Each structure stands twice: as C-alpha cells, then as structure tokens.
Amino acid sequence: MEARDATAGAFVSSDGDEAPATKNAASKASKAQTKSRMEQIFGFKKEDLSSWHNLVCLLNRPTDSASLGIFRCLFGLLMVIDVTQERGLSHLDYKYLDGAPVCRFPLLNFLEPLPLDWMYLVYLVLFLGSLGIMLGCFYRLSCLMFISTYWYIFFLDKTAWNNHSYLYGLIGFQLTLMNGNRYWSLDGLRRPSIRNAHVPLWNYTLLRTQIFIVYFIAGIKKLDADWVEGYSMSYLAHHWLFDPFKAILPVELVNLLVVHGGGLVLDLTAGYLLFFDATRPYAFFFVSYFHCMNSQLFSIGMFSYTMLATSPLFCYPDWPRRFFSHFPSFLKPVLPLTTPELQPSTSCVYNEVSNLSGDQQERPAHSKLSKPRLKHKLAAIFTLLYIAEQFFLPYSHFITQGYNNWTNGLYGYSWDMMVHSRSHQHVKITYKDGKTGAIGYLNPGVFTHSRRWKDHGDMLKQYASCLSHLLPRYNVTDPEIYFDIWVSINERFQQRIFDPRVDIVKADWSPFRPNPWLMPLLVDLSPWRTKFQEIEGSLDNQTEIVFIADFPGSNILGRTPAKRNLIVIYKCNVHHLVLVQVPAGAYHKVYTVSEDPSCYMYVYVNTTEAALLENFTKLFELQERVRNGTETEPLPPELQPLIAPNDDDEAEVNATDPIVRLFLKRQRRMKEVKKRREAGLLERLERFAGKKYYTIRRGFLMTAIAMRNLAVGLPPLEQLTREVEFANMKGPQDEGNQKDLLKEEVGHGEL
C-alpha cells in the first residue's frame, strides 16, 4: 500500500511554481480533519478492507505514475548493463561453444541451448527488451521480449542461479503486467492518451511487497543459529571496508555485531522502516550504506544498484514531480513532467473518495464515477495470489525435497542470501567400467565449467548421467560413477556430503522425495567450532590445519602432500590424544570403528615453505646491505641479479639460482600490487572503465558477427579468425597479469 493518498504531496504548476496557498491550505486542512489515524499512517481506511468490493476499489485506486515510471527506466538501464556483465554476453562463445562435449545443468533436462549464433540472437532480444523497458518504447512488447529470453537463460543453467537473478526475473514479470509506460516514456510521446495517466495502486503494492519480502524473508533466514553466532560470513570482518569499525572494536566483535548482527537487524527492519514517513529517511541512509558496501564486498553485478533503485518506490508516488520541479526551466523539455494534472485511466476505479489533483471538494470533470469491472477484479485476485505465493515459496521445501544441499529445497527462490559459506577440502571422481571392472579417476570438473555440482544432489545426478554418456567415447563401457566430496559448511568439520559407495548413475533421484544418498550434516559436532578458532589462532604461517569428521564404517585414504614434511592426526572425540606422524608423500588410511562419527585434526607443517621464507629474508637483508654500501664482500655470480634495479625484468630472467629467481619475481609482483593499491581515484576509475569498455565491446562485436552469420552465412575461416581476434583485443594491460595481481589483493575490490 502507501503511506498517504494516491496523489498527495506538494501541488505545483507546470512551470514549477506553487499553486495558490489559500486554496491548498484549506484543502489540506479539510483532508486532515476527515482522515482517520489508520489512513494517515497506512494510506487506507479500515473500511477499505471490510468487503471484497472495497478491497478491489482500493487496489485499483488511481495513483500517480511518476515513481513507477522512474523505477521502470532505472531497472531497464541496469538490465541493459547486466546483459553484458552477469548474463554473460561478453563470454557467450566460451559458455555455449558448438560441438564441445559439455555437461550442462538446466532446471528441466529437456532444456538445451540453441546453436551459438542463435544464442547470440537470444541475448540480442534480451538486450533490446531491456532497452525498450528503459525507454518505455513499445513497452508491453519489450517486457515480453525481456522475460521470455531472461527466464529461458535463467532456467538453462542452474549453476548460475542466485537470489538476485531470480529477483530480476520477478520484477520483469511484474512490469509486464503493469502500466509502467505512463510517465517519461517514448510510448507517451507516441500515444498522448496514456501520457501522464494514472496507474492503479496495485502496481505499487506488488513491487513494494516484493521488495519487503526480499528484505524480511532474508532476515528471517538469518535467524539461523550459524548466522546469529557469527559463523556464516566470518571472513568478511577482515575486509578493508570494516576498518573503521575495527578501529574501536576487535575483529571478533566486528564479525559478530557489525557483519552478522547488523545484517540481521537491517534485513528484518528495512521493509518496515522504508514504509513509514517518520522512519524512511533513516532507512534510506542505512539501506544505501548497506548496498554500497555489498557492491564492494561481493561480485553480485547490478543487484546492489537495483535494490537502491527500488527504495524510492516506498516514497510518495509524486516525488519525481517535486524533485524535477526544482531544475532550471530550460531543462524542462528533456526532464520528466512536473505538472500535477494527470489523465484518467481505464485501469483505475474512480469513486467519491478518489483523491485526484486539485481540491477534494471539487472533483475534476474527468473523474467520473466508475464501478469495478472484470479486469479490476482479476488484477486484485492476481495481486493477492502473487503475494501469497511469494510468502509461501521460501518455505515450500517439503515439496521439492530432492534439491537438497544441506539447506533443503530448490535453490534460487528462498532468499537465503549469504547465510551459508562452504569450503571444499577434497573432491574425487571414480569411474568403473561396467564390463571389465577397470577403475579410473577423473579430473574434478571435467567436461563442465561449473563448480556448483559439488554441493547439489540434483546437479550431481545430472553430472553423473552426462559423464556416463561421454565416457564410452573413451572406451569405458557402461560406466559407474562414484563421488567422494568433502565439504565444510559455516566453518564446521570437513565431512562427506554424498555417499561415496553409491553409483550416482543408477541412483534414484526425484525432486519430490528426500535424497537417499545425501549424508547428514553432523550438527552435533558444531560446538567444536569455538575450539577450532582457538587452535587456528595459535598457529604460525607455515602451518595449515584441517578438521575432518567421518561416519561409522567409513575410512579416509589420503596422501601427505610432497611439500608438507609432517602431518599430525589428533583424534578429538576421546579424552586422550592420538598423535601420528606421517612423512611427506606417504599414504595413510584412517578407519572409523566406533558407532558414532569420529573427528580428526590434520596439521600440515610446511617446512619447505618455512625454509624458502627464511632464504627470502636472508636475500632481502643481503640486497639491502649491498644497496646501502654496508656489504663489503663481492657477490658470487648467482647472486649478481640482486643488485639490478627493481624494475629490471632481465635480472629475473638471467637469474640462474631458482631461489633468487623466485625472490625477484616475488619482489616485482609485490611492487606491482603496491602500485595498484596506492593508485589514485582517477587511475582506478580509468582502469575500471577500460576493463568494462573492452568487456562490453567484445560482447557487441561477437553479437554482430553472429547476426551476420545468421543473415548471410559463415565467411571464410581466415576472415572469421581475424574478426574474432579483433573482438578479443584487450587494453594496454594484459588481462592475465591483472588476474594474477588480483589474487594477491585479498579482500580488495577493483574499485
């Protein structure tokens, strides 16, 4: 709903001047006297909910279209940008390469991508639909172009699913049914009859409720014990964005109070605070700060900016008229309309209590009485059903029980935003020839670009089925596929997520039944996480630690890494220690013979790295002594590269000693990373803009090549190669080097 009358607000004339004060003051005084307390707060009266007829009239009440029009424009703009970014237009040929043996993960198994050139056409339609929504040009057709292609792409690849991509599709679907082109649109210029016309209140009700659900349900899901206790996103507290908080609080409290506590409180309250007049300014501040931080913390594309664009929907619908009325008069031809006079619309229901422009006691001539028609009743029914469905879906996991990943249910519509973090310790794929019995191993992730199959039972089933069809090409008959995957969720023990003894190719799976080969989450061992933090805090940089838990009757077969010269196994579910030292490169097997799950702590002491760092320290001290003149002894030939200038790449190439070469390479990379970190704002903006330019450029050039191919056929291979090379042109900095550098910049974003 809304916080006050549909078109209430400052009354301004077309040139921005205030209307006569006496008449408006009398009108406002009259309204204030007749409004109940409920109407002043919520924008509707108790009587509006007393009958079906009154509810239909309320949901179809004439409302200013200005705020909806501005949101439509912003959403379309963000989706135009999103097509080349998160939707993947710029690297479409890598994702849908024709003829490549690739395992895919569609929502429904019969969904398949079109040939590559046709996929570029799909993305072109998506782009044009987004552009049409932004401009309000052929609005309904543009919305249909957008949602048809968007949902096809969305359902085509479950591995790319996330909550905000799901939200974009929902908003696009809602806009298709709304009158979003009544304000600041090209359709308004083409069709004066719809320009600056009313829209029914349910247009705002639907969008506001959708955004409220995104916030509130995300907050409800954060009431999970892992989030409340600070285990879901503990690594975020080390990000530089939280440095101001760390100046007054220890990092542990920043994690618990700011990251987790602040996120929980904001999600639970944001929808309410945005709704009411008194709290809306504070909500704007905290919500904007929250989304700006998220844009730097996570790679979530346009989501932060989309949520920022939704916030003004909770303001009075006429806010754009009042906002743009303060601009200079010479800009009025290109700015949205500021006149308060709106045209009537057949989508609305007008009655005695309709609050239109002008004095309430003198209804304009165009506001004739009207009764709800069938389309008004259908709009009200749709609004109520849609809202009910959106509240129901996040808790419908008792239906889709086969999509388990320790969070229960089909991923993508539950608003479990950042509630779970995972780390994978070990992934092993074993195949067995069904005819000869020969056993072999596959590289994890072979035949696919995705990594999400490791956490989802439905995707694992699809992956196994795909492998069973591909392996016969490599002389493996009737293959059996077994997965041994170890995962830690929210800093728990590393444990198996799937039964490694089950052939997933032949395993039963249904979206409506529990997954029989999903191993249970060992929640009884969760209290050990406090001990984990104490142990990890006592280790040095050369020591790595892994906490393992296993089920009764299972065993762990492992091999100590070659560079880890010592491994200590500590059995942690008994009152005494069992210490076992395993030399580097040796195999070992640990059996669980108890009736309860067992847990272990593996400590890897990297003596090789410790020795390397010690050598680096000695080389650095020697280099400093040579440069400041305190080293009197001549350097041997293998150490001569140390005295070369820092920016001399030849010294690294000519270094014969491998440790000296590694030392110089490390110094050069540290210098480049430092240079990037200390870059000024203008340089960062230039680097960011250049990267985006070449990304977008490649997407459009490859689309042009594909459209040419569809229109006139493929050109000669030499010409096609030259065209693709031109599209692949990069900026002055090599992208590969940039990626290497960014790996060093842990916790720091590009901009």
Side-chain angles (χ1 to χ4, degrees):
M1 300 301 174
E2 55 185 315
R4 68 173 181 178
D5 294 333
T7 54
F11 292 99
V12 294
S13 61
S14 58
D15 60 356
D17 297 329
E18 293 186 0
T22 305
K23 184 176 180 180
N24 286 336
S27 175
K28 292 179 182 179
S30 175
K31 291 178 183 179
Q33 293 175 0
T34 58
K35 280 186 179 181
S36 65
R37 180 65 175 168
M38 181 176 181
E39 191 174 7
Q40 293 175 16
I41 296 176
F42 295 101
F44 58 88
K45 298 177 294 186
K46 182 171 62 176
E47 291 77 9
D48 291 329
L49 307 178
S50 61
S51 67
W52 172 246
H53 176 272
N54 290 346
L55 180 60
V56 172
C57 291
L58 173 64
L59 291 175
N60 290 277
R61 188 171 70 184
T63 311
D64 198 323
S65 57
S67 183
L68 179 62
I70 296 298
F71 172 72
R72 180 217 77 231
C73 184
L74 292 175
F75 177 75
L77 173 62
L78 293 171
M79 292 302 99
V80 165
I81 301 173
D82 181 78
V83 169
T84 62
Q85 304 294 310
E86 195 168 3
R87 292 318 111 200
L89 177 63
S90 61
H91 56 272
L92 201 61
D93 51 327
Y94 297 105
K95 190 173 183 179
Y96 297 110
L97 186 62
D98 291 340
V102 177
C103 294
R104 305 191 186 278
F105 305 89
L107 176 65
L108 304 172
N109 288 331
F110 66 82
L111 285 175
E112 294 183 358
L114 300 172
L116 180 59
D117 288 340
W118 288 98
M119 286 302 299
Y120 272 108
L121 179 61
V122 169
Y123 272 73
L124 179 61
V125 173
L126 176 64
F127 175 81
L128 294 177
S130 304
L131 187 63
I133 292 174
M134 180 185 74
L135 300 175
C137 181
F138 299 104
Y139 173 71
R140 206 74 66 186
L141 175 61
S142 296
C143 287
L144 290 173
M145 292 168 60
F146 175 80
I147 64 170
S148 60
T149 52
Y150 186 92
W151 284 106
Y152 168 68
I153 295 169
F154 186 72
F155 289 145
L156 199 59
D157 185 11
K158 283 187 293 189
T159 65
W161 276 31
N162 49 48
N163 285 283
H164 59 266
S165 295
Y166 171 57
L167 178 64
Y168 300 160
L170 293 178
I171 292 177
F173 169 68
Q174 294 174 41
L175 288 176
T176 305
L177 305 176
M178 296 177 182
N179 299 321
N181 60 341
R182 299 313 193 242
Y183 185 77
W184 207 30
S185 68
L186 295 182
D187 285 348
L189 297 178
R190 294 190 306 107
R191 299 167 56 193
S193 60
I194 68 169
R195 187 185 187 194
N196 206 31
H198 285 116
V199 296
L201 178 59
W202 68 264
N203 286 194
Y204 287 98
T205 302
L206 214 57
L207 285 170
R208 290 169 177 168
T209 306
Q210 182 69 74
I211 302 307
F212 172 84
I213 288 173
V214 172
Y215 282 119
F216 185 69
I217 298 298
I220 293 294
K221 295 303 182 82
K222 286 181 176 62
L223 291 174
D224 179 79
D226 285 358
W227 183 277
V228 174
E229 295 173 9
Y231 291 110
S232 295
M233 292 284 131
S234 59
Y235 65 90
L236 289 182
H238 300 280
H239 196 280
W240 63 269
L241 282 173
F242 294 96
D243 287 349
F245 300 101
K246 285 182 280 189
I248 57 176
L249 293 173
V251 68
E252 293 80 9
L253 287 181
V254 171
N255 170 54
L256 186 62
L257 300 180
V258 180
V259 176
H260 290 88
L264 172 62
V265 172
L266 187 136
D267 279 340
L268 285 176
T269 60
Y272 294 103
L273 298 178
L274 285 168
F275 184 85
F276 298 105
D277 291 357
T279 57
R280 191 175 299 119
Y282 306 102
F284 266 37
F285 173 78
F286 287 109
V287 165
S288 300
Y289 183 70
F290 174 74
H291 290 303
C292 288
M293 288 188 69
N294 282 344
S295 69
Q296 299 300 302
L297 288 170
F298 309 107
S299 298
I300 50 179
M302 296 294 106
F303 178 58
S304 299
Y305 311 106
T306 302
M307 293 304 291
L308 288 173
T310 63
S311 296
L313 287 171
F314 291 86
C315 297
Y316 301 145
D318 65 338
W319 73 263
R321 302 181 191 276
R322 291 179 280 123
F323 175 75
F324 290 110
S325 67
H326 298 292
F327 281 69
S329 57
F330 69 88
L331 294 176
K332 294 299 175 65
V334 296
L335 291 177
L337 293 173
T338 58
T339 173
E341 296 295 334
L342 278 77
Q343 295 193 78
S345 172
T346 57
S347 300
C348 304
V349 176
Y350 297 86
N351 52 44
E352 300 89 351
V353 295
S354 293
N355 294 304
L356 303 177
S357 307
D359 195 303
Q360 184 181 13
Q361 306 301 322
E362 298 179 9
R363 290 168 46 253
H366 62 245
S367 61
K368 298 179 180 179
L369 298 179
S370 62
K371 293 182 179 180
R373 290 181 287 178
L374 177 61
K375 68 176 183 179
H376 300 128
K377 297 177 182 179
L378 291 176
I381 293 173
F382 168 77
T383 301
L384 298 177
L385 290 178
Y386 181 86
I387 292 174
E389 174 259 353
Q390 283 297 301
F391 273 108
F392 169 74
L393 278 180
Y395 299 96
S396 64
H397 302 320
F398 62 91
I399 297 176
T400 55
Q401 300 178 66
Y403 292 92
N404 291 335
N405 62 327
W406 286 341
T407 58
N408 300 323
L410 183 63
Y411 183 81
Y413 65 140
S414 299
W415 310 119
D416 291 322
M417 291 187 279
M418 305 300 173
V419 178
H420 305 287
S421 60
R422 297 177 182 81
S423 63
H424 297 81
Q425 178 65 25
H426 176 70
V427 179
K428 182 174 73 174
I429 305 177
T430 305
Y431 70 84
K432 180 180 179 181
D433 191 303
K435 184 176 181 180
T436 65
I439 294 177
Y441 303 95
L442 297 176
N443 184 29
V446 65
F447 300 123
T448 181
H449 302 300
S450 172
R451 293 179 293 179
R452 276 197 175 179
W453 55 268
K454 294 183 291 188
D455 298 312
H456 300 261
D458 60 306
M459 296 187 197
L460 197 77
K461 177 66 177 179
Q462 289 176 308
Y463 190 36
S465 299
C466 176
L467 291 177
S468 69
H469 288 94
L470 292 176
L471 287 181
R473 303 181 185 180
Y474 302 91
N475 300 321
V476 180
T477 307
D478 297 328
E480 301 174 7
I481 310 293
Y482 301 89
F483 294 89
D484 193 10
I485 301 174
W486 293 77
V487 186
S488 168
I489 184 170
N490 293 345
E491 302 186 21
R492 288 181 173 84
F493 282 96
Q494 291 280 344
Q495 66 159 92
R496 288 182 166 106
I497 184 173
F498 305 111
D499 192 335
R501 300 164 295 185
V502 175
D503 174 17
I504 305 300
V505 177
K506 299 182 177 65
D508 292 330
W509 181 86
S510 169
F512 308 113
R513 294 194 306 271
N515 192 336
W517 31 271
L518 177 74
M519 307 297 283
L521 180 63
L522 297 175
V523 293
D524 292 341
L525 299 176
S526 298
W528 274 93
R529 289 180 292 188
T530 304
K531 187 66 174 178
F532 295 169
Q533 294 175 345
E534 296 177 4
I535 296 173
E536 290 172 344
S538 64
L539 301 177
D540 55 34
N541 293 332
Q542 284 75 48
T543 304
E544 301 174 19
I545 190 167
V546 180
F547 301 96
I548 301 280
D550 202 9
F551 294 91
S554 300
N555 64 80
I556 303 172
L557 174 63
R559 180 175 181 267
T560 311
K563 294 184 179 180
R564 272 54 169 178
N565 292 349
L566 177 67
I567 179 172
V568 179
I569 305 175
Y570 161 38
K571 194 171 187 297
C572 56
N573 57 343
V574 294
H575 297 291
H576 62 280
L577 302 182
V578 179
L579 300 179
V580 181
Q581 297 186 7
V582 183
Y587 285 92
H588 66 279
K589 182 177 287 189
V590 182
Y591 290 92
T592 300
V593 296
S594 62
E595 296 181 357
D596 299 321
S598 60
C599 51
Y600 305 88
M601 179 178 70
Y602 279 64
V603 180
Y604 298 85
V605 180
N606 193 340
T607 55
T608 303
E609 183 177 354
L612 185 63
L613 290 178
E614 183 179 355
N615 288 329
F616 281 177
T617 302
K618 293 179 180 179
L619 290 175
F620 179 76
E621 293 174 351
L622 176 62
Q623 189 183 56
E624 290 297 306
R625 292 198 302 269
V626 170
R627 289 177 177 173
N628 59 30
T630 58
E631 179 63 36
T632 57
E633 297 292 332
L635 295 181
E638 64 270 15
L639 298 181
Q640 288 294 329
L642 291 176
I643 62 177
N646 288 337
D647 55 353
D648 188 358
D649 294 338
E650 292 296 328
E652 178 186 328
V653 175
N654 295 330
T656 58
D657 189 287
I659 295 180
V660 173
R661 188 184 304 112
L662 285 174
F663 173 75
L664 294 174
K665 182 177 181 180
R666 180 172 177 265
Q667 275 196 323
R668 179 173 59 84
R669 294 183 65 179
M670 290 177 63
K671 179 181 178 182
E672 292 172 345
V673 169
K674 181 180 179 181
K675 180 181 178 181
R676 289 172 64 86
R677 287 179 176 176
E678 296 177 352
L681 179 60
L682 186 61
E683 183 179 347
R684 287 171 177 259
L685 285 172
E686 182 181 0
R687 187 168 63 233
F688 177 80
K691 182 178 179 180
K692 294 302 179 184
Y693 165 75
Y694 284 103
T695 299
I696 296 172
R697 172 185 179 274
R698 185 182 193 279
F700 284 115
L701 287 177
M702 294 298 292
T703 301
I705 294 172
M707 295 305 99
R708 189 274 320 279
N709 294 343
L710 290 176
V712 300
L714 286 171
L717 183 59
E718 295 79 7
Q719 178 184 342
L720 187 61
T721 302
R722 289 195 303 271
E723 293 173 346
V724 174
E725 288 177 351
F726 179 71
N728 289 336
M729 186 176 66
K730 299 176 182 178
Q733 290 182 316
D734 181 74
E735 291 292 333
N737 292 337
Q738 290 185 20
K739 291 180 181 179
D740 290 339
L741 291 172
L742 289 175
K743 291 179 182 178
E744 303 293 330
E745 296 184 279
V746 178
H748 290 262
E750 179 70 11
L751 177 62

